[in-house]
Amino acid sequence: MTTVEPPCDFDPVPGARLERNPQAAVHARRMARTFLGGLPRQVPRETAEAVTLVVSELVTNVVRHARGRLCSVDLWDLGHGVGISVSDDDPEPPRPRRLDLTGQGGFGWPLVRRLSSELTVLSRPDGKTVRAVVSF
């Protein structure tokens, strides 16, 4: 489900500001794995893989499609899952693209939608924030 309303119950934990470059997704995946490893309970492997993939896809979408120099990534322990927030300086919301089997993409946003139990996009004049929840 995708909405344009901000979710309630997100209590931000400081994350990372990343340069919008090809290495951003690598850093975001590393951040997600470190965050998951520091949680007070064992996260199921499938959930950990889903969180890492959602973070990676959202940051990759920023690198490929958004304007601006930076993006930010924040992660939250929600008890029943992990909250993910990726912000950038481009107010255009993500939009599905035609799937391209020749390597041009179009798979990221549908994948994020499928792996997330909640997905919201908050657009502002100076950018947007995509928030996702991957539940346990």
Side-chain angles (χ1 to χ4, degrees):
M1 171 178 82
T2 304
T3 66
V4 291
E5 298 298 319
C8 15
D9 302 339
F10 271 91
D11 186 22
V13 175
R17 299 275 297 165
L18 302 172
E19 291 281 337
R20 204 183 115 237
N21 64 41
Q23 291 301 307
V26 172
H27 296 301
R29 285 191 298 273
R30 187 175 303 127
M31 177 186 159
R33 286 191 295 270
T34 300
F35 172 82
L36 293 166
L39 291 177
R41 68 195 160 296
Q42 181 79 21
V43 176
R45 192 185 86 189
E46 297 81 20
T47 302
E49 290 172 357
V51 167
T52 303
L53 189 53
V54 168
V55 167
S56 181
E57 288 296 330
L58 290 176
V59 171
T60 297
N61 284 347
V62 169
V63 171
R64 292 187 76 187
H65 305 294
R67 298 180 304 223
R69 208 180 105 247
L70 299 172
C71 71
S72 64
V73 178
D74 296 286
L75 301 167
W76 295 268
D77 179 1
L78 298 173
H80 66 282
V82 174
I84 301 160
S85 176
V86 176
S87 300
D88 62 62
D89 298 330
D90 189 342
E92 281 297 311
R95 56 181 161 69
R97 298 182 327 139
R98 178 180 292 189
L99 299 180
D100 185 336
L101 300 177
T102 66
Q104 297 301 311
F107 293 92
W109 188 243
L111 187 59
V112 167
R113 290 181 66 184
R114 183 169 186 104
L115 293 173
S116 302
S117 57
E118 297 176 37
L119 185 60
T120 61
V121 178
L122 176 61
S123 289
R124 308 172 307 280
D126 64 339
K128 70 179 162 298
T129 299
V130 178
R131 293 180 178 154
V133 173
V134 176
S135 297
F136 296 8

